[in-house]
Amino acid sequence: MVKTKENCPLCKKPMQKLYSPFCSQKCADIDLNHWLGGNYRIPSEPKNEEEINELHNSIKETLDQK
Ligand SMILES: [Zn+2]
């Protein structure tokens, strides 16, 4: 139970390095569409990579709760 292997946050299939953290281009696109489509509220424009990662993590948590 201590496996660190990550799964796609969208469909839970094993992650592919190429599309990290997703399993495929499709899931990466879905995530991107969520961003662009305004399904997620972005409080302020992310200014650096750290903020973007933080935001991305909160999105992943939201998806995981489903
Ligand atoms: Zn996936």
Side-chain angles (χ1 to χ4, degrees):
M1 291 289 282
V2 196
K3 285 182 181 176
T4 52
K5 193 170 186 178
E6 290 183 60
N7 290 334
C8 174
L10 294 180
C11 67
K12 310 299 181 190
K13 287 179 185 170
M15 180 191 92
Q16 297 292 325
K17 258 188 191 174
L18 182 61
Y19 303 112
S20 176
F22 305 102
C23 67
S24 64
Q25 183 65 58
K26 189 182 168 188
C27 282
D29 283 346
I30 290 171
D31 186 67
L32 185 65
N33 284 336
H34 282 161
W35 280 67
L36 298 178
N39 287 2
Y40 297 101
R41 301 258 173 108
I42 300 174
S44 62
E45 267 191 20
K47 292 186 177 80
N48 58 45
E49 201 172 312
E50 211 171 275
E51 285 183 36
I52 292 170
N53 283 337
E54 206 171 289
L55 192 61
H56 202 181
N57 281 338
S58 68
I59 289 171
K60 278 200 286 186
E61 280 172 21
T62 302
L63 290 170
D64 283 344
Q65 285 168 6
K66 285 186 178 173

